[in-house]
């Protein structure tokens, strides 16, 4: 151990040992308790950003802690290596996506290693490798044969910028989740997986999960279970009853307020009424199809429709009601037809208002008044609101009316309870090159067949010249094949990359397994994941798909658990200040933090900001570190300057894991200073410790030593609690720092008990090890411990030490602290007061003045108010 702390030397020394000894390689061991800790795998975008660093540091801290508890810990890592950015980079730099991706992986792998994460590198996965995607092709065929996959021409979300289809989940507020271009609707042939078959289970099993409520709620809303009824209405053509159509409603108690029927443009009846020849209809369809909004925005579009001139018969009043074709009724929800109740539904109201359709209110307000529906539909209807205008249902509340109406209509067999879901089947084909090929072949006779298992994987050609067109589309050499001697064509769409990330966590349990997708025995040993860590942005897509995949894998017998991950932690973002200046064209130029100079006033407000070229900068506030605002900090630079341990410590100390961190170089400096302090403390004391290493004789401790020992074990207790029960790592670190300060105080004393200092320092080093493993490795070694810290257990609390016999009471005079007194735990207030009066240093206060009042807070403070 050198006198001065050089993070770089320490870290490369320790990382070398880990690498050589394969310290974190694990095998299945039925005798040991397993712990599977997983951080979401990175996309190899080029280099690690601070968001990655935070995610992976949290995972590593938790993993190392569980290792110290004696558990068999699996912490793997891999690369989510397919995806669009590789194609864009290929176009820009004229290199094949595969080359770009692999180069990035190499860079990022080095960075991960420099952070000292305890990964089992023997299980590393790269999803663009044929060894990996072979098995998802195999799985696709398996579930296709089970009826869980189908191909359909549908209207899909289309990103005109990325020129590919997006799943519903990939459209956020009408924008592409990746490039934020406005999405469009387009009709194309797509492969789908029937996630809807699992809707009920995906919803119900949320209850089992120890996941943040926010994520569970988002999933629940996305699945969108709705309990309602289908009601059949008779349809009259040319004064004759001709058809029955079903509408879906969740509010059938409003049936007496129905003033029209609304059909979607794709409803079978719509097509029947208007033959293609009808120009009015054709124009309307064309107009509707050109509306470039996603489904989520449908309710807010301008309502439009055409009156069909056809009527439906109201099933209770038997009156004729008009049938309209509308642009706001979705084809794929419910039955694609609605009963319009404009008084009580805003969308229906907007439509009725526009076309002068009757609006009839049938439910009173909460206070019994008649609703004002002049400007809006009625809002805030509750189940106990009373009906009016509703013939023999008048005076019933909504619940009673719903029951009565149901009973009446069910006698005629025209009402049925139905459960609907918002969740749609997952469209998994992408019109992109850089993805796993879908293992399907199109025969000349129009038949579609799957690739024989013996021919898997269908390998994606890698060393290619890349153009903006879908490369597979123009690569006839690859596309044209012979199947059973007949010329045939390969599918040129590739899988949505969310497929790869839906099952990688299983493959880690048997990463090198050659005989199948999953080695069931190993998978069942490790699964479910005990702790999963990732960003909240994955709340719906990835976290839903991977639950779905797990259930399908269970149903084909490859795993036995119901859910992939028991516990989920969503880490907060890393934020930084952003600055820019506008150039002559009005373009914003975002300046990297390393080039920004800021002057502050006394209150810490920014007075002036400028860059290296002296451009006056505009402060844009604090926001997530991002490429678009150029406000990211390169982790490698921080590691180079201060070391990985400092970065790890800062990241874990700056805020509770689920909240945002504000980047502060001063915080980094503080963390570094703390590590230096521990280093020099250990350096100073290692000689004494060497000499006096005996077990502590607890009977010989004096009062102050007892108190010190109490503090040591109280800290272990607190930190353990913070780790285990609360996952509150920042407070754990704060407690370790406090104990360190106490050690510093202790060594200033004359009679130092070196054994106690050793106990304190050792506990500090052990508790810090999950956060800053490199420095702790060396410090531990320097304390003459034979066993490497990598194999030492988490410190345990000595209950005896916690039976505190003494404590410190603060003595205040007129509210100011004047003294600290050591008192026995059983001392009464009288004894304590007497002791204080006997104290020489306090004599001067009590001789001159009389005591007016005394405030006593047992075990904490005593305050004398003097006259
Ligand atoms: C009558 C009614 C009266 C409705 C009222 C609401 C309020 P959730 O709860 O989200 O499932 N609806 C049904 N199918 C539709 C479709 N294909 N496109 C657009 N809207 C559709 O929503 C169910 C409600 O959404 C249904 O209940 C129906 O309007 C509408 F005061 O029927 B309601």
């Amino acid at each position: 151990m050198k006198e001065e702390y050089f993070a770089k030397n320490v870290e490369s020394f320790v990382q070398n040992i880990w690498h050589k000894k394969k310290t974190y390689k694990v095998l299945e061991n039925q005798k040991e308790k397993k712990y599977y800790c997983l951080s979401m795998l990175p996309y190899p975008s080029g280099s690690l950003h601070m968001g990655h660093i935070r995610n992976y540091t949290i995972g590593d801290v938790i993993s190392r802690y569980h290792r110290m508890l004696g558990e068999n810990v699996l912490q793997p890592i891999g690369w989510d290596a397919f995806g669009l950015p590789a194609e864009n980079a290929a176009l820009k730099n004229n290199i094949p996506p595969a080359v770009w991706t692999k180069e990035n992986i190499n860079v990022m792998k080095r960075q991960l290693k420099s952070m000292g994460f305890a990964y089992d590198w023997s299980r590393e996965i790269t999803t663009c490798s044929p060894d990996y995607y072979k098995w998802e092709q195999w799985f696709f065929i398996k579930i296709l044969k089970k009826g869980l996959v189908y191909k359909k021409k549908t209207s899909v979300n289309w990103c005109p910028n990325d020129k590919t289809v997006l799943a519903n989940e990939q459209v956020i507020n009408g924008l592409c989740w990746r490039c934020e271009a406005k999405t469009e609707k387009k009709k194309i042939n797509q492969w789908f997986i029937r996630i809807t078959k699992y809707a009920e289970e995906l919803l119900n099993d949320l209850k089992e999960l120890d996941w943040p409520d926010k994520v569970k709620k988002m999933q629940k809303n996305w699945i969108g279970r709705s309990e309602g009824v289908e009601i059949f209405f008779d349809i009259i053509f040319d004064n004759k009853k001709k058809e029955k159509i079903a509408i879906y409603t969740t509010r059938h108690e409003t049936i007496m307020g129905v003033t029209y029927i609304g059909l979607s443009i794709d409803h079978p009846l719509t097509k029947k009424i208007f033959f293609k020849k009808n120009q009015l209809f054709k124009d309307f369809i064309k107009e509707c199809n050109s509306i470039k909004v996603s489904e989520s925005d449908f309710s807010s579009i301008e309502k439009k429709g055409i009156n069909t001139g056809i009527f439906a018969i109201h099933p209770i009043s038997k009156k004729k009601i008009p049938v309209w074709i509308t642009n706001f009724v979705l084809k794929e929800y419910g039955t694609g037809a609605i009963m319009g109740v404009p008084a009580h539904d805003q969308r229906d109201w907007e439509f009725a208002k526009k076309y002068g359709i009757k609006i009839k209110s049938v439910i009173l307000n909460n206070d019994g008044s008649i609703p004002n529906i002049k400007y809006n539909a009625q809002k805030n209807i509750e189940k106990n609101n009373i009906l009016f205008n509703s013939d023999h249902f008048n005076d019933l509340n909504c619940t009673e009316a719903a029951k009565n109406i149901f009973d009446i209509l069910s006698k005629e067999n025209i009402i049925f309870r139905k459960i609907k879901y918002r969740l749609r089947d997952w469209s998994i084909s992408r019109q992109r090159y850089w993805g796993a090929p879908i293992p399907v072949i199109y025969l000349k006779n129009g038949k579609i067949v799957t690739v024989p298992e013996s021919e898997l994987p269908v390998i994606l050609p890698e060393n290619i010249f890349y153009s903006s067109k879908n490369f597979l589309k123009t690569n006839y050499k690859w596309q044209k094949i012979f199947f059973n001697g007949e010329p045939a064509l390969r599918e040129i769409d590739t899988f949505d990359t969310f497929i790869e990330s839906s099952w990688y966590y299983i493959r880690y349990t048997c990463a090198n397994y050659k005989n199948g997708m999953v080695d069931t025995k190993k998978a069942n040993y490790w699964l479910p994941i005990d702790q999963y860590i990732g960003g909240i942005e994955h709340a719906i897509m990835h976290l839903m798909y991977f639950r779905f995949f797990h259930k399908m894998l269970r149903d084909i017998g490859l795993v036995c658990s119901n859910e992939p991950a028991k516990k989920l932690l969503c880490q907060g973002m890393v934020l930084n200040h952003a600055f820019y200046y506008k150039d002559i064209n009005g373009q914003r130029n975002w300046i990297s933090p390393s080039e920004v100079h800021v002057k502050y006033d006394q209150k810490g407000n920014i007075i002036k900001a400028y860059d290296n070229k002296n451009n006056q900068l505009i402060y844009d506030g604090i926001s997530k570190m991002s490429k678009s605002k150029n406000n990211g900090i390169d982790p490698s630079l921080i590691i180079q300057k201060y070391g990985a341990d400092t970065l790890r410590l800062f990241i874990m100390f700056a805020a509770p894991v689920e909240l945002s961190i504000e980047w502060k170089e001063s915080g980094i400096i503080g963390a570094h200073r703390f590590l230096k302090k521990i280093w020099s403390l250990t350096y100073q004391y290692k000689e004494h410790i060497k000499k006096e290493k005996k077990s502590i004789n607890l009977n010989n401790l004096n009062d102050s030593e007892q108190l010190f020992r109490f503090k040591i074990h109280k800290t272990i207790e607190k930190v353990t609690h913070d780790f285990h029960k609360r996952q509150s790592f920042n407070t754990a670190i704060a407690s370790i720092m406090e104990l360190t300060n106490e050690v510093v105080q202790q060594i200033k004393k004359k009679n130092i008990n070196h054994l106690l200092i050793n106990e304190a320092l050792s506990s500090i080093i052990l508790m810090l090890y999950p956060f800053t493993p490199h420095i702790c490795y060396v410090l531990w070694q320097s304390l003459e411990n034979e066993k490497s810290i990598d194999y030492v257990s988490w410190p345990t609390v000595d209950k005896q030490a916690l039976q505190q016999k003494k404590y410190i009471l603060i003595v205040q005079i007129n509210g100011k602290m004047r003294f600290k007194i050591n008192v026995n735990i059983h001392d009464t207030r009288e004894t304590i007061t007497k002791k204080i009066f006997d104290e020489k240093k306090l004599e001067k206060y009590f001789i001159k003045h009389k005591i007016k009042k005394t405030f006593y807070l047992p075990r904490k403070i005593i305050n004398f108010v003097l006259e």
Side-chain angles (χ1 to χ4, degrees):
M1 185 189 190
K2 298 235 166 68
E3 188 171 352
E4 216 178 313
Y5 170 50
F6 282 118
K8 228 181 185 171
N9 299 353
V10 170
E11 290 171 8
S12 63
F13 166 72
V14 179
Q15 281 163 17
N16 229 343
I17 296 172
W18 289 337
H19 175 71
K20 273 199 196 132
K21 293 198 170 163
K22 299 194 170 63
T23 309
Y24 302 107
K25 186 172 157 59
V26 277
L27 293 173
E28 301 64 43
N29 182 347
Q30 298 296 342
K31 283 187 209 133
E32 282 177 3
K33 188 176 171 219
K34 67 93 187 179
Y35 190 86
Y36 184 1
C37 182
L38 183 64
S39 297
M40 291 179 186
L41 87 174
Y43 175 76
S45 53
S47 56
L48 291 182
H49 55 65
M50 278 301 171
H52 289 127
I53 298 285
R54 190 170 191 200
N55 193 170
Y56 303 134
T57 304
I58 296 169
D60 198 51
V61 169
I62 296 174
S63 295
R64 286 178 182 273
Y65 168 68
H66 279 270
R67 243 181 88 90
M68 292 178 89
L69 296 182
E71 293 166 15
N72 192 23
V73 176
L74 169 61
Q75 194 192 193
I77 190 77
W79 309 97
D80 189 13
F82 275 135
L84 202 57
E87 293 189 30
N88 294 337
L91 272 180
K92 206 168 142 199
N93 311 324
N94 202 21
I95 46 166
V99 174
W100 182 82
T101 306
K102 282 166 196 167
E103 278 173 6
N104 290 348
I105 290 177
N106 286 338
V107 173
M108 290 168 78
K109 196 163 160 178
R110 238 178 290 132
Q111 287 182 305
L112 284 180
K113 289 199 166 171
S114 74
M115 282 298 289
F117 298 134
Y119 295 133
D120 178 351
W121 284 100
S122 71
R123 294 169 190 259
E124 182 183 0
I125 281 170
T126 308
T127 61
C128 65
S129 130
D131 293 345
Y132 182 79
Y133 64 70
K134 168 181 179 173
W135 296 113
E136 64 194 40
Q137 292 175 338
W138 174 87
F139 185 66
F140 173 84
I141 295 169
K142 199 91 185 156
I143 57 173
L144 188 141
K145 288 186 176 153
K146 260 194 117 203
L148 285 168
V149 175
Y150 61 95
K151 193 169 192 193
K152 198 171 85 173
K153 187 164 191 167
T154 65
S155 168
V156 291
N157 305 304
W158 179 260
C159 173
N161 184 39
D162 292 343
K163 297 194 180 52
T164 188
V165 161
L166 301 171
N168 278 332
E169 293 85 335
Q170 293 169 337
V171 180
I172 297 156
N173 300 327
L175 306 179
C176 169
W177 68 292
R178 200 188 295 112
C179 69
E180 295 191 356
K182 203 149 178 54
T183 59
E184 298 170 0
K185 286 273 168 194
K186 194 168 175 169
K187 275 199 167 163
I188 55 174
N189 248 319
Q190 292 285 294
W191 288 102
F192 287 88
I193 312 189
R194 289 186 207 277
I195 189 171
T196 49
K197 268 210 153 181
Y198 285 79
E200 191 68 26
E201 203 193 335
L202 286 166
L203 182 68
N204 286 339
D205 289 354
L206 283 172
K207 292 186 208 103
E208 284 178 25
L209 303 176
D210 183 2
W211 285 21
D213 284 340
K214 193 174 163 195
V215 176
K216 292 211 256 185
K217 206 165 162 194
M218 284 165 86
Q219 294 221 340
K220 186 171 169 227
N221 290 342
W222 192 258
I223 297 168
R225 185 181 196 271
S226 131
E227 277 182 32
V229 295
E230 275 180 18
I231 303 176
F232 284 84
F233 282 71
D234 282 329
I235 302 290
I236 309 273
F237 288 56
D238 315 323
N239 280 332
K240 278 185 225 136
K241 255 191 216 176
K242 284 246 171 107
E243 292 264 347
K244 270 189 190 304
I245 65 150
I247 61 89
Y248 176 69
T249 176
T250 47
R251 304 285 313 282
H252 63 275
E253 71 274 19
T254 62
I255 196 162
M256 300 313 283
V258 175
T259 57
Y260 65 94
I261 294 291
L263 303 178
S264 76
I265 53 165
D266 297 292
H267 193 279
L269 185 61
T270 308
K271 292 192 173 149
K272 210 166 192 177
I273 304 169
F274 285 92
F275 301 106
K276 286 243 160 81
K277 289 173 219 149
N278 186 315
Q279 196 53 41
L280 183 70
F281 175 62
K282 267 165 85 179
D283 292 346
F284 181 64
I285 300 281
K286 204 169 159 194
E287 191 188 329
C288 290
N289 280 333
S290 70
I291 301 174
K292 293 179 175 162
V293 295
S294 65
E295 205 181 289
S296 54
D297 295 337
F298 246 75
S299 57
S300 57
I301 57 171
E302 191 194 338
K303 310 288 173 297
K304 286 191 176 166
I306 10 179
N307 192 346
T308 63
I310 284 165
F311 292 95
I313 301 293
H314 190 286
I316 294 177
S317 73
K318 306 294 177 200
K319 283 189 183 145
K320 279 162 113 187
I321 45 177
V323 177
W324 285 73
I325 294 171
T326 65
N327 67 346
F328 70 95
V329 176
L330 297 162
K331 180 201 172 201
E332 291 181 358
Y333 190 62
T335 60
I338 59 144
M339 59 179 212
V341 188
H344 304 291
D345 181 279
Q346 185 58 25
R347 293 163 297 182
D348 297 355
W349 184 92
E350 286 167 25
F351 188 75
K353 205 73 189 167
K354 175 156 183 180
Y355 293 104
I357 301 171
K358 200 173 147 194
I359 301 179
K360 178 188 174 194
S361 55
V362 291
I363 297 174
L364 296 172
N365 287 331
N366 305 357
D367 61 2
S369 60
I370 292 178
N372 177 3
I373 47 167
K374 215 165 160 188
Y375 305 108
N376 272 311
Q378 185 191 25
K379 286 180 194 142
N380 308 326
I381 311 171
E382 280 162 24
K383 286 282 163 202
N384 51 4
N385 283 22
I386 304 294
L387 269 72
F388 74 116
N389 255 344
S390 299
D391 296 341
H392 42 282
F393 307 113
N394 284 346
D395 303 327
L396 298 178
N397 69 27
C398 289
T399 315
E400 293 160 346
K403 189 178 174 310
N404 274 7
I405 292 165
F406 188 87
D407 288 346
I408 290 172
L409 298 182
S410 61
K411 276 189 195 121
E412 292 179 46
N413 244 340
I414 54 168
I415 191 164
F416 302 93
R417 295 208 186 277
K418 286 278 158 167
I419 293 169
K420 307 273 175 196
Y421 299 92
R422 290 247 158 234
L423 186 72
R424 294 298 144 72
D425 282 338
W426 176 13
S427 78
I428 50 151
S429 9
R430 297 290 176 271
Q431 296 63 47
R432 306 299 325 179
Y433 154 69
W434 188 234
I438 299 179
V440 162
I441 296 168
Y442 297 91
L443 306 184
K444 245 195 163 164
N445 60 11
K447 262 191 155 181
I448 304 175
V449 292
T450 54
V451 174
E453 208 177 296
S454 58
E455 285 177 27
L456 295 179
V458 178
I459 294 183
L460 187 74
E462 283 196 359
N463 286 319
I464 53 138
F465 271 112
Y466 193 75
S467 74
S468 64
K469 284 196 192 117
N470 179 353
F471 168 76
L472 294 183
K473 212 171 184 170
T474 49
N475 188 334
Y476 296 115
K477 216 172 124 202
W478 183 82
Q479 202 190 344
K480 287 184 179 171
I481 53 162
F482 281 91
F483 186 79
N484 287 344
E486 293 287 321
L489 288 175
R490 282 195 191 285
E491 170 65 271
I492 52 164
D493 283 355
T494 51
F495 282 139
D496 180 2
T497 58
F498 276 98
I499 298 249
E500 281 90 57
S501 53
S502 291
W503 71 283
Y504 75 109
Y505 66 97
I506 299 189
R507 191 66 186 170
Y508 281 143
T509 67
C510 50
N512 304 305
Y513 188 52
K514 295 269 180 303
N515 302 330
M517 182 180 191
V518 180
D519 181 340
T520 301
K521 211 170 156 206
K522 288 186 176 172
N524 284 338
Y525 171 77
W526 291 112
L527 291 169
I529 299 162
D530 295 275
Q531 176 71 67
Y532 198 27
I533 305 139
I536 188 86
E537 67 276 16
H538 297 294
I540 295 173
M541 286 185 273
H542 163 62
L543 289 172
M544 184 79 85
Y545 296 149
F546 105 126
R547 293 183 59 218
F548 169 47
F549 251 69
H550 193 86
K551 290 174 191 299
M552 287 195 291
L553 281 156
R554 176 204 58 196
D555 291 347
I556 61 170
L558 292 177
V559 289
C560 65
S561 39
N562 284 330
E563 283 287 333
K566 276 195 233 168
K567 200 169 170 154
L568 172 73
L569 191 161
C570 292
Q571 88 274 9
M573 293 183 291
V574 187
L575 313 177
N576 201 5
H577 301 278
F579 295 88
Y580 68 90
Y581 71 88
K582 276 190 185 164
D583 62 20
I584 35 172
N585 304 321
Q587 279 275 345
R588 287 179 178 197
N589 282 284
W590 296 94
I591 304 300
S592 154
S594 58
E595 291 169 33
V596 175
H597 309 276
V598 186
K599 283 193 175 154
Y600 298 94
D601 68 8
Q602 278 181 336
K603 285 184 187 154
N605 300 319
I606 296 172
I607 320 171
K608 195 182 166 194
Y610 53 98
D611 68 4
N612 286 349
K613 291 179 198 144
N614 223 3
N615 288 307
Q616 184 95 4
L617 302 181
I618 299 165
Y619 176 52
D620 186 69
I622 190 154
S623 50
K624 182 179 172 181
M625 284 187 181
S626 68
K627 272 196 186 142
S628 58
K629 289 196 176 172
N630 197 12
N631 61 342
I633 300 280
D634 180 357
S636 297
L637 296 180
I638 301 292
I639 299 171
Q640 221 169 31
K641 201 162 161 193
Y642 301 98
D645 280 339
T646 294
L647 180 54
R648 295 170 60 118
L649 187 65
F650 165 75
I651 286 263
M652 298 304 289
F653 184 49
V657 273
E658 66 283 0
L659 301 187
S660 303
I661 287 180
E662 278 186 30
W663 181 263
K664 274 195 191 114
E665 181 109 2
S666 60
I668 284 279
I669 295 169
H672 193 62
R673 203 182 308 124
F674 173 70
L675 293 184
K676 275 180 154 170
K677 190 199 273 183
I678 296 268
W679 182 275
S680 66
L681 254 183
T682 315
Y683 184 81
Q684 250 175 290
Y685 270 84
K686 67 182 171 44
E687 293 310 319
H688 297 289
I689 287 157
K690 263 186 216 171
K691 275 184 241 149
E692 305 187 33
K693 221 168 172 188
K694 297 177 250 154
S695 68
I696 297 169
N697 185 347
L698 297 171
N699 299 324
N700 288 345
L701 299 183
N702 63 30
D703 283 359
S704 114
E705 286 169 346
Q706 273 186 31
L707 268 173
F708 181 39
R709 196 152 190 272
F710 173 83
K711 174 90 189 167
I712 300 170
H713 285 270
K714 202 71 199 156
T715 308
I716 299 175
E717 187 184 57
K718 160 91 169 41
V719 172
T720 309
H721 185 257
D722 282 351
F723 258 85
H724 220 86
K725 295 272 175 335
R726 304 172 55 214
Q727 295 194 316
S728 173
F729 304 103
N730 60 326
T731 55
I733 295 171
S735 306
I736 300 170
M737 287 176 168
E738 252 179 59
L739 181 60
T740 313
N741 290 338
E742 186 66 35
V743 177
V744 174
Q745 292 307 317
Q746 290 289 328
I747 58 174
K748 281 186 191 150
K749 289 183 180 168
K750 272 188 201 138
N751 300 317
I752 307 163
N753 183 334
H754 294 300
L755 294 176
L756 273 184
I757 302 281
N758 181 37
E759 191 182 19
L761 256 184
S762 301
S763 312
I764 289 170
I765 293 167
L766 288 175
M767 290 188 287
L768 270 180
Y769 171 76
F771 300 108
T772 56
H774 309 90
I775 187 172
C776 291
Y777 186 101
V778 173
L779 297 180
W780 185 256
Q781 212 174 33
S782 71
L783 293 185
E784 292 287 291
N785 290 299
E786 274 163 31
K787 202 170 171 188
S788 142
I789 194 167
D790 293 329
Y791 302 95
V792 178
S793 301
W794 184 254
T796 46
V797 178
D798 180 354
K799 289 266 159 56
Q800 210 185 328
L802 290 188
Q803 286 166 2
Q804 187 198 13
K805 293 179 195 109
K806 299 268 183 186
Y807 67 95
I808 291 175
L809 186 80
I810 292 175
V811 182
Q812 291 186 336
I813 310 281
N814 291 336
K816 270 198 180 152
M817 193 190 82
R818 298 292 180 196
F819 197 65
K820 282 182 185 170
I821 189 162
N822 238 330
V823 287
N824 290 323
I825 200 141
H826 300 300
D827 282 352
T828 60
R829 180 171 172 165
E830 284 71 42
T831 345
I832 293 171
T833 322
K834 192 170 175 305
K835 272 189 186 171
I836 293 171
F837 289 161
D838 289 346
E839 183 56 52
K840 272 245 153 10
K841 283 189 183 155
L842 293 171
E843 233 171 33
K844 58 180 179 196
Y845 298 106
F846 299 115
I847 289 174
K848 283 191 198 153
H849 304 278
K850 264 192 173 170
I851 297 169
K852 208 160 89 182
K853 249 184 196 168
T854 311
F855 294 102
Y856 175 50
L857 197 58
R859 304 268 244 139
K860 293 217 158 70
I861 274 185
I862 188 157
N863 180 19
F864 297 95
V865 182
L866 305 182
E867 276 181 354

